[in-house]
């Protein structure tokens, strides 16, 4: 009764797969309804919640970034000197900049080792620039 065993295995497998799919769907719905508190998620919602007419909310909307998120990106604390903020900015900007192409080795038949893929992130570099601009805008606001 080999066909009967094969059919039972297929039915059992389909039931297990169906239950797993059902549980995964339930977890996906649960995850979609849950909004985490703290961390970066609260900063992202901070941009959406910047709806008042205050100057700080206007800066948040204009730069699409809260002041807290800008400090997190540049890895600086609130109230830190602008020199330290710029030092951190320059380091992060340089770390995410494209590297210069290596010179081919002379005398090699293939012109040297083939260059590897770029090891930089334009996205991260733009976030670093926007973080610096957001902090500078806040500093200008407090100096007025």
């Amino acid at each position: 009764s080999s066909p009967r065993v094969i059919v039972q295995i297929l039915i059992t497998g389909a039931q297990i797969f169906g239950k797993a799919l059902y549980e995964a769907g339930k977890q996906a719905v649960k995850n979609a309804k849950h909004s985490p508190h703290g961390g970066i998620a609260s900063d992202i919602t901070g941009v959406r919640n910047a709806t008042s007419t205050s100057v700080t909310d206007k800066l948040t909307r204009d730069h699409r970034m809260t002041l807290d998120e800008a400090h997190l990106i540049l890895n600086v604390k609130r109230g830190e000197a602008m020199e330290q903020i710029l030092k951190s900015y320059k380091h992060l900007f340089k770390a995410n900049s494209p590297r210069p192409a290596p010179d081919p080795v002379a005398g090699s038949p293939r012109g040297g080792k083939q260059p590897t893929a770029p090891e930089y992130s334009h996205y991260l570099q733009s976030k670093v620039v926007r973080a610096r601009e957001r902090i500078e805008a806040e500093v200008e606001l407090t100096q007025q």
Side-chain angles (χ1 to χ4, degrees):
S1 124
S2 175
R4 183 176 180 194
V5 172
I6 292 174
V7 169
Q8 285 179 335
I9 290 173
L10 287 174
I11 290 173
T12 304
Q15 287 174 338
I16 291 171
F17 182 74
K19 286 179 184 178
L21 194 61
Y22 174 73
E23 290 298 321
K26 277 182 22 182
Q27 186 64 42
V29 169
K30 185 178 177 182
N31 290 346
K33 289 180 181 178
H34 176 70
S35 65
H37 300 292
I40 300 286
S42 65
D43 291 329
I44 293 169
T45 58
V47 173
R48 271 188 259 129
N49 293 334
T51 56
S52 75
T53 57
S54 74
V55 179
T56 303
D57 278 355
K58 183 180 180 331
L59 288 175
T60 298
R61 286 190 307 271
D62 290 347
H63 293 278
R64 310 269 312 143
M65 181 182 296
T66 65
L67 188 59
D68 289 336
E69 185 181 6
H71 282 99
L72 283 172
I73 290 170
L74 292 179
N75 196 25
V76 293
K77 296 181 177 124
R78 276 185 176 255
E80 216 163 311
M82 199 62 189
E83 292 80 27
Q84 182 61 32
I85 293 170
L86 290 176
K87 181 181 174 186
S88 179
Y89 160 76
K90 287 176 185 174
H91 168 73
L92 291 171
F93 188 85
K94 185 177 177 184
N96 290 294
S97 294
R99 311 288 189 281
D103 294 331
V105 178
S108 168
R110 291 179 44 199
K113 186 178 177 183
Q114 296 296 322
T116 59
E119 298 176 4
Y120 66 94
S121 171
H122 181 72
Y123 172 76
L124 290 177
Q125 193 178 39
S126 68
K127 289 295 265 186
V128 168
V129 170
R130 289 190 346 193
R132 178 194 53 110
E133 290 172 347
R134 175 63 172 96
I135 292 173
E136 286 176 343
E138 194 75 24
V139 168
E140 285 180 24
L141 178 68
T142 58
Q143 289 176 352
Q144 289 179 356

